[in-house]
Amino acid sequence: MKMPFSDNTFDAVYAIEATCHAPDALGCYKEIYRVLKPGQCFAAYEWCMTDAFDPNNQEHQKIKAEIEIGDGLPDIRLTTQCLEALKQAGFEVIWEKDLAVGSPLPWYMPLDKSHFSLSSFRLTAVGRFITKNMVKALEFVGLAPKGSQRVQAFLEKAAEGLVDGGKKEIFTPMYFFLARKPNSDSQ
């Protein structure tokens, strides 16, 4: 939000699942705009709520809250809010797309405990059960710090929120955009 760099310093800027943690998208994008050289690009991969998200739907609100709490996010923005903030910051949007749409495999599949995979065994129902009890035992004997069970529980809720958000298509971790800072502020 306040980078220690001069104006027009960087040839390019990218963010991967980072600017979604900023408390204010417009302020964040304005700061990126400030340090980016004219005519150069900013690309990002964001976590966002999709247009299918209904703020009046209690289940949608619960899923959103699970993701926010478990992943350390402020109010998760809609893809359209990110797009609007980019434009208000002065960027020209070259391309944007939710890359989860039309993907041959669901992005949330590795987190889905109903999906069994040896490569992601720890994320299956059995793997999560073992992890939960291992954390409990390690905390009990003092090898894991006090509060480890609580952290494990809210991370578990976050994973469930991510899967539910993906299945209901109200959340995407794959919103990509490419934007350019105009050559001059008058463009």
Side-chain angles (χ1 to χ4, degrees), residues 108-127:
Y108 54 83
M109 193 170 74
L111 295 172
D112 188 349
K113 61 184 175 185
S114 67
H115 173 75
F116 185 82
S117 166
L118 288 177
S119 64
S120 57
F121 175 75
R122 63 183 166 66
L123 300 172
T124 64
V126 174

PDB file of all heavy atoms in Angstrom, residues 108-127:
ATOM      1  N   TYR A 108     -10.411 -26.920  -7.289  1.00  0.00           N
ATOM      2  CA  TYR A 108     -10.539 -27.300  -5.885  1.00  0.00           C
ATOM      3  C   TYR A 108     -10.387 -28.800  -5.654  1.00  0.00           C
ATOM      4  O   TYR A 108     -10.403 -29.262  -4.513  1.00  0.00           O
ATOM      5  CB  TYR A 108     -11.899 -26.832  -5.329  1.00  0.00           C
ATOM      6  CG  TYR A 108     -13.070 -27.311  -6.147  1.00  0.00           C
ATOM      7  CD1 TYR A 108     -13.602 -28.578  -5.969  1.00  0.00           C
ATOM      8  CD2 TYR A 108     -13.621 -26.500  -7.133  1.00  0.00           C
ATOM      9  CE1 TYR A 108     -14.655 -29.028  -6.741  1.00  0.00           C
ATOM     10  CE2 TYR A 108     -14.683 -26.943  -7.904  1.00  0.00           C
ATOM     11  CZ  TYR A 108     -15.187 -28.202  -7.702  1.00  0.00           C
ATOM     12  OH  TYR A 108     -16.227 -28.650  -8.475  1.00  0.00           O
ATOM     13  N   MET A 109     -10.234 -29.582  -6.720  1.00  0.00           N
ATOM     14  CA  MET A 109     -10.190 -31.034  -6.602  1.00  0.00           C
ATOM     15  C   MET A 109      -9.161 -31.519  -5.570  1.00  0.00           C
ATOM     16  O   MET A 109      -9.487 -32.388  -4.753  1.00  0.00           O
ATOM     17  CB  MET A 109      -9.946 -31.691  -7.952  1.00  0.00           C
ATOM     18  CG  MET A 109     -10.213 -33.185  -7.930  1.00  0.00           C
ATOM     19  SD  MET A 109     -10.219 -33.935  -9.561  1.00  0.00           S
ATOM     20  CE  MET A 109      -8.480 -33.920  -9.928  1.00  0.00           C
ATOM     21  N   PRO A 110      -7.938 -30.994  -5.530  1.00  0.00           N
ATOM     22  CA  PRO A 110      -6.988 -31.487  -4.521  1.00  0.00           C
ATOM     23  C   PRO A 110      -7.430 -31.222  -3.077  1.00  0.00           C
ATOM     24  O   PRO A 110      -7.004 -31.916  -2.167  1.00  0.00           O
ATOM     25  CB  PRO A 110      -5.701 -30.719  -4.830  1.00  0.00           C
ATOM     26  CG  PRO A 110      -5.843 -30.272  -6.237  1.00  0.00           C
ATOM     27  CD  PRO A 110      -7.317 -30.053  -6.447  1.00  0.00           C
ATOM     28  N   LEU A 111      -8.277 -30.219  -2.860  1.00  0.00           N
ATOM     29  CA  LEU A 111      -8.763 -29.891  -1.513  1.00  0.00           C
ATOM     30  C   LEU A 111     -10.023 -30.649  -1.130  1.00  0.00           C
ATOM     31  O   LEU A 111     -10.406 -30.667   0.035  1.00  0.00           O
ATOM     32  CB  LEU A 111      -9.066 -28.385  -1.420  1.00  0.00           C
ATOM     33  CG  LEU A 111      -7.906 -27.432  -1.566  1.00  0.00           C
ATOM     34  CD1 LEU A 111      -8.423 -26.001  -1.644  1.00  0.00           C
ATOM     35  CD2 LEU A 111      -6.932 -27.593  -0.421  1.00  0.00           C
ATOM     36  N   ASP A 112     -10.675 -31.264  -2.107  1.00  0.00           N
ATOM     37  CA  ASP A 112     -11.952 -31.944  -1.887  1.00  0.00           C
ATOM     38  C   ASP A 112     -11.695 -33.275  -1.185  1.00  0.00           C
ATOM     39  O   ASP A 112     -11.118 -34.188  -1.763  1.00  0.00           O
ATOM     40  CB  ASP A 112     -12.660 -32.158  -3.222  1.00  0.00           C
ATOM     41  CG  ASP A 112     -14.077 -32.674  -3.083  1.00  0.00           C
ATOM     42  OD1 ASP A 112     -14.476 -33.081  -1.962  1.00  0.00           O
ATOM     43  OD2 ASP A 112     -14.794 -32.678  -4.096  1.00  0.00           O
ATOM     44  N   LYS A 113     -12.131 -33.377   0.072  1.00  0.00           N
ATOM     45  CA  LYS A 113     -11.836 -34.588   0.844  1.00  0.00           C
ATOM     46  C   LYS A 113     -12.573 -35.815   0.329  1.00  0.00           C
ATOM     47  O   LYS A 113     -12.242 -36.932   0.704  1.00  0.00           O
ATOM     48  CB  LYS A 113     -12.067 -34.367   2.333  1.00  0.00           C
ATOM     49  CG  LYS A 113     -13.447 -34.017   2.749  1.00  0.00           C
ATOM     50  CD  LYS A 113     -13.468 -33.724   4.247  1.00  0.00           C
ATOM     51  CE  LYS A 113     -14.833 -33.256   4.678  1.00  0.00           C
ATOM     52  NZ  LYS A 113     -14.839 -32.872   6.069  1.00  0.00           N
ATOM     53  N   SER A 114     -13.558 -35.635  -0.542  1.00  0.00           N
ATOM     54  CA  SER A 114     -14.230 -36.797  -1.137  1.00  0.00           C
ATOM     55  C   SER A 114     -13.427 -37.362  -2.313  1.00  0.00           C
ATOM     56  O   SER A 114     -13.728 -38.446  -2.800  1.00  0.00           O
ATOM     57  CB  SER A 114     -15.643 -36.421  -1.599  1.00  0.00           C
ATOM     58  OG  SER A 114     -15.582 -35.516  -2.687  1.00  0.00           O
ATOM     59  N   HIS A 115     -12.408 -36.618  -2.756  1.00  0.00           N
ATOM     60  CA  HIS A 115     -11.546 -37.079  -3.851  1.00  0.00           C
ATOM     61  C   HIS A 115     -10.319 -37.757  -3.247  1.00  0.00           C
ATOM     62  O   HIS A 115      -9.591 -37.160  -2.469  1.00  0.00           O
ATOM     63  CB  HIS A 115     -11.121 -35.891  -4.721  1.00  0.00           C
ATOM     64  CG  HIS A 115     -10.110 -36.228  -5.755  1.00  0.00           C
ATOM     65  ND1 HIS A 115     -10.416 -36.920  -6.906  1.00  0.00           N
ATOM     66  CD2 HIS A 115      -8.778 -35.996  -5.809  1.00  0.00           C
ATOM     67  CE1 HIS A 115      -9.319 -37.083  -7.614  1.00  0.00           C
ATOM     68  NE2 HIS A 115      -8.314 -36.540  -6.970  1.00  0.00           N
ATOM     69  N   PHE A 116     -10.075 -39.015  -3.586  1.00  0.00           N
ATOM     70  CA  PHE A 116      -8.923 -39.733  -3.035  1.00  0.00           C
ATOM     71  C   PHE A 116      -7.760 -39.686  -4.005  1.00  0.00           C
ATOM     72  O   PHE A 116      -7.914 -39.943  -5.197  1.00  0.00           O
ATOM     73  CB  PHE A 116      -9.264 -41.192  -2.720  1.00  0.00           C
ATOM     74  CG  PHE A 116      -8.126 -41.897  -2.052  1.00  0.00           C
ATOM     75  CD1 PHE A 116      -7.934 -41.763  -0.694  1.00  0.00           C
ATOM     76  CD2 PHE A 116      -7.225 -42.646  -2.786  1.00  0.00           C
ATOM     77  CE1 PHE A 116      -6.864 -42.383  -0.063  1.00  0.00           C
ATOM     78  CE2 PHE A 116      -6.150 -43.265  -2.172  1.00  0.00           C
ATOM     79  CZ  PHE A 116      -5.965 -43.135  -0.799  1.00  0.00           C
ATOM     80  N   SER A 117      -6.605 -39.337  -3.467  1.00  0.00           N
ATOM     81  CA  SER A 117      -5.386 -39.317  -4.264  1.00  0.00           C
ATOM     82  C   SER A 117      -4.211 -39.605  -3.343  1.00  0.00           C
ATOM     83  O   SER A 117      -4.111 -39.028  -2.255  1.00  0.00           O
ATOM     84  CB  SER A 117      -5.213 -37.945  -4.909  1.00  0.00           C
ATOM     85  OG  SER A 117      -3.913 -37.791  -5.416  1.00  0.00           O
ATOM     86  N   LEU A 118      -3.328 -40.486  -3.760  1.00  0.00           N
ATOM     87  CA  LEU A 118      -2.143 -40.766  -2.946  1.00  0.00           C
ATOM     88  C   LEU A 118      -1.226 -39.542  -2.878  1.00  0.00           C
ATOM     89  O   LEU A 118      -0.606 -39.296  -1.852  1.00  0.00           O
ATOM     90  CB  LEU A 118      -1.386 -41.974  -3.494  1.00  0.00           C
ATOM     91  CG  LEU A 118      -2.060 -43.332  -3.278  1.00  0.00           C
ATOM     92  CD1 LEU A 118      -1.243 -44.440  -3.920  1.00  0.00           C
ATOM     93  CD2 LEU A 118      -2.280 -43.609  -1.804  1.00  0.00           C
ATOM     94  N   SER A 119      -1.167 -38.784  -3.959  1.00  0.00           N
ATOM     95  CA  SER A 119      -0.285 -37.620  -3.973  1.00  0.00           C
ATOM     96  C   SER A 119      -0.766 -36.507  -3.044  1.00  0.00           C
ATOM     97  O   SER A 119       0.029 -35.693  -2.587  1.00  0.00           O
ATOM     98  CB  SER A 119      -0.102 -37.081  -5.401  1.00  0.00           C
ATOM     99  OG  SER A 119      -1.336 -36.612  -5.893  1.00  0.00           O
ATOM    100  N   SER A 120      -2.060 -36.472  -2.762  1.00  0.00           N
ATOM    101  CA  SER A 120      -2.580 -35.477  -1.821  1.00  0.00           C
ATOM    102  C   SER A 120      -3.371 -36.178  -0.715  1.00  0.00           C
ATOM    103  O   SER A 120      -4.432 -35.728  -0.305  1.00  0.00           O
ATOM    104  CB  SER A 120      -3.429 -34.435  -2.550  1.00  0.00           C
ATOM    105  OG  SER A 120      -4.486 -35.048  -3.245  1.00  0.00           O
ATOM    106  N   PHE A 121      -2.799 -37.273  -0.221  1.00  0.00           N
ATOM    107  CA  PHE A 121      -3.446 -38.087   0.801  1.00  0.00           C
ATOM    108  C   PHE A 121      -3.825 -37.267   2.031  1.00  0.00           C
ATOM    109  O   PHE A 121      -4.890 -37.432   2.605  1.00  0.00           O
ATOM    110  CB  PHE A 121      -2.542 -39.252   1.214  1.00  0.00           C
ATOM    111  CG  PHE A 121      -3.099 -40.064   2.351  1.00  0.00           C
ATOM    112  CD1 PHE A 121      -4.141 -40.950   2.132  1.00  0.00           C
ATOM    113  CD2 PHE A 121      -2.613 -39.919   3.644  1.00  0.00           C
ATOM    114  CE1 PHE A 121      -4.684 -41.688   3.177  1.00  0.00           C
ATOM    115  CE2 PHE A 121      -3.151 -40.647   4.682  1.00  0.00           C
ATOM    116  CZ  PHE A 121      -4.185 -41.542   4.455  1.00  0.00           C
ATOM    117  N   ARG A 122      -2.950 -36.337   2.426  1.00  0.00           N
ATOM    118  CA  ARG A 122      -3.195 -35.542   3.635  1.00  0.00           C
ATOM    119  C   ARG A 122      -4.466 -34.706   3.527  1.00  0.00           C
ATOM    120  O   ARG A 122      -5.004 -34.272   4.534  1.00  0.00           O
ATOM    121  CB  ARG A 122      -1.997 -34.661   3.949  1.00  0.00           C
ATOM    122  CG  ARG A 122      -1.696 -33.629   2.904  1.00  0.00           C
ATOM    123  CD  ARG A 122      -0.437 -32.817   3.219  1.00  0.00           C
ATOM    124  NE  ARG A 122       0.060 -32.060   2.108  1.00  0.00           N
ATOM    125  CZ  ARG A 122      -0.557 -31.051   1.525  1.00  0.00           C
ATOM    126  NH1 ARG A 122      -1.714 -30.661   1.957  1.00  0.00           N
ATOM    127  NH2 ARG A 122      -0.028 -30.420   0.506  1.00  0.00           N
ATOM    128  N   LEU A 123      -4.965 -34.492   2.309  1.00  0.00           N
ATOM    129  CA  LEU A 123      -6.170 -33.690   2.115  1.00  0.00           C
ATOM    130  C   LEU A 123      -7.448 -34.524   2.021  1.00  0.00           C
ATOM    131  O   LEU A 123      -8.536 -33.969   1.966  1.00  0.00           O
ATOM    132  CB  LEU A 123      -6.012 -32.820   0.860  1.00  0.00           C
ATOM    133  CG  LEU A 123      -4.833 -31.843   0.894  1.00  0.00           C
ATOM    134  CD1 LEU A 123      -4.654 -31.176  -0.463  1.00  0.00           C
ATOM    135  CD2 LEU A 123      -5.011 -30.804   1.980  1.00  0.00           C
ATOM    136  N   THR A 124      -7.303 -35.846   1.999  1.00  0.00           N
ATOM    137  CA  THR A 124      -8.477 -36.712   1.955  1.00  0.00           C
ATOM    138  C   THR A 124      -9.112 -36.745   3.348  1.00  0.00           C
ATOM    139  O   THR A 124      -8.517 -36.284   4.332  1.00  0.00           O
ATOM    140  CB  THR A 124      -8.099 -38.145   1.533  1.00  0.00           C
ATOM    141  OG1 THR A 124      -7.247 -38.712   2.541  1.00  0.00           O
ATOM    142  CG2 THR A 124      -7.396 -38.173   0.181  1.00  0.00           C
ATOM    143  N   ALA A 125     -10.309 -37.304   3.461  1.00  0.00           N
ATOM    144  CA  ALA A 125     -10.985 -37.404   4.763  1.00  0.00           C
ATOM    145  C   ALA A 125     -10.118 -38.171   5.763  1.00  0.00           C
ATOM    146  O   ALA A 125      -9.959 -37.748   6.912  1.00  0.00           O
ATOM    147  CB  ALA A 125     -12.352 -38.061   4.591  1.00  0.00           C
ATOM    148  N   VAL A 126      -9.524 -39.277   5.325  1.00  0.00           N
ATOM    149  CA  VAL A 126      -8.659 -40.073   6.211  1.00  0.00           C
ATOM    150  C   VAL A 126      -7.400 -39.280   6.570  1.00  0.00           C
ATOM    151  O   VAL A 126      -6.994 -39.234   7.735  1.00  0.00           O
ATOM    152  CB  VAL A 126      -8.287 -41.425   5.551  1.00  0.00           C
ATOM    153  CG1 VAL A 126      -7.272 -42.182   6.385  1.00  0.00           C
ATOM    154  CG2 VAL A 126      -9.528 -42.268   5.318  1.00  0.00           C
ATOM    155  N   GLY A 127      -6.806 -38.651   5.595  1.00  0.00           N
ATOM    156  CA  GLY A 127      -5.610 -37.845   5.835  1.00  0.00           C
ATOM    157  C   GLY A 127      -5.870 -36.699   6.794  1.00  0.00           C
ATOM    158  O   GLY A 127      -5.059 -36.395   7.680  1.00  0.00           O
TER     159      GLY A 127
END
